[in-house]
Amino acid sequence: MAFKAVIFDLDGVLVDTAKYHFIAWQKIASELGISFSKADNEHLKGVSRVKSLELILSWHNKSLSPSEFEAALKRKNEIYLEYIYTLQPNEIMPGVVPFLEELKKLGIPIAVGSASKNAPLILDKLGLTPYFKSIVDGNSVSKAKPDPEVFLVAAQKLETAPEDCLVFEDAQAGIDAAVAGKMTAVAIDPEHQLKNHHAHLVGFEGVSYHSLTQLLSA
Ligand code: BG6
Ligand code: MG
């Protein structure tokens, strides 16, 4: 199977940041006097910051005034950014850099398609920005995954038809978005929890683009 372009989700695919989203939401929840577990956090993967807070509040039948809501969002991001500023290259997911290098050698254009408004900062911090022809993030789209908008915009920026794009995702909302956009979706899913994907990987370690495309055509 030949693809003309590749699109990567960011959090949990390229970088191990899900743990910092979890810590930050847990602090916010505790300040609001509500519980927040690792299992709860799973439901927020791929979900925008605003929608995440709406979900957490809805699970506890809790409401905030518009100004309290804004303050909680701002504080969540401040806590998250404290961790992001200390990001180290070893927090790039294992095998990602060799995989990006392989795509570069093959001349296959790549993009990021992420819900995160912090995507450009994170990629810069880790020196990954030069690999990407385009970064489509939570600042540039209005419809959240599972709507395919973020991936369709990325495909457009890569000047490639959606059918010719391969997408890597670690969230169900992201897999569903890629499939809704008529793209081929590969799940990065060490726990084997995701469904509706075209192929499954525990991570990029030891994975070559060549072997993956063979697996997809089998
Ligand atoms: C997604 C994460 O990539 O980005 C979510 O999986 C996060 O957990 C979302 O809520 C928005 O991120 P940010 O950095 O804009 O708060
Ligand atoms: Mg993700």
Side-chain angles (χ1 to χ4, degrees):
M1 222 165 170
F3 298 98
K4 294 187 180 146
V6 177
I7 305 169
F8 294 85
D9 172 49
L10 174 72
D11 294 306
V13 170
L14 296 174
V15 192
D16 188 13
T17 40
K19 58 191 180 198
Y20 299 137
H21 282 295
F22 173 60
I23 294 171
W25 281 128
Q26 203 171 38
K27 281 199 182 154
I28 295 301
S30 118
E31 287 170 12
L32 295 171
I34 54 184
S35 62
F36 184 72
S37 67
K38 265 231 139 76
D40 293 335
N41 193 55
E42 287 303 307
H43 297 286
L44 304 184
K45 284 190 176 168
V47 177
S48 73
R49 202 181 309 163
V50 170
K51 181 83 188 155
S52 296
L53 183 56
E54 283 170 0
L55 279 174
I56 295 169
L57 294 172
S58 74
W59 296 334
H60 296 271
N61 272 328
K62 197 172 169 76
S63 58
L64 296 177
S65 71
S67 66
E68 287 168 335
F69 190 92
E70 278 312 309
L73 282 184
K74 185 164 174 272
R75 175 140 171 77
K76 187 272 172 176
N77 201 45
E78 283 165 359
I79 300 166
Y80 180 64
L81 287 179
E82 277 175 33
Y83 291 95
I84 294 308
Y85 288 133
T86 68
L87 267 184
Q88 297 297 317
N90 65 6
E91 290 169 279
I92 299 173
M93 299 294 255
V96 159
V97 172
F99 195 84
L100 296 179
E101 280 293 331
E102 186 187 359
L103 291 173
K104 187 170 151 185
K105 279 200 195 98
L106 292 168
I108 296 174
I110 65 176
V112 164
S114 167
S116 173
K117 294 187 172 178
N118 295 303
L121 170 72
I122 292 170
L123 292 168
D124 259 0
K125 188 93 189 52
L126 294 170
L128 293 175
T129 309
Y131 286 106
F132 296 93
K133 186 170 174 192
S134 179
I135 296 164
V136 184
D137 63 14
N139 299 297
S140 33
V141 293
S142 55
K143 294 184 212 136
K145 299 170 188 177
D147 188 284
E149 184 184 17
V150 66
F151 293 138
L152 292 176
V153 172
Q156 219 168 43
K157 301 252 178 185
L158 296 172
E159 298 171 70
T160 304
E163 292 83 350
D164 295 325
C165 292
L166 179 64
V167 174
F168 292 96
E169 255 295 348
D170 73 318
Q172 191 59 53
I175 298 280
D176 294 342
V179 172
K182 302 199 170 16
M183 302 176 182
T184 299
V186 176
I188 303 297
D189 177 21
E191 321 261 306
H192 293 252
Q193 284 172 338
L194 304 179
K195 44 191 176 55
N196 300 334
H197 42 69
H198 296 94
H200 167 270
L201 294 176
V202 292
F204 288 98
E205 211 164 14
V207 175
S208 73
Y209 177 72
H210 182 69
S211 62
L212 179 64
T213 47
Q214 280 183 332
L215 176 85
L216 282 162
S217 21

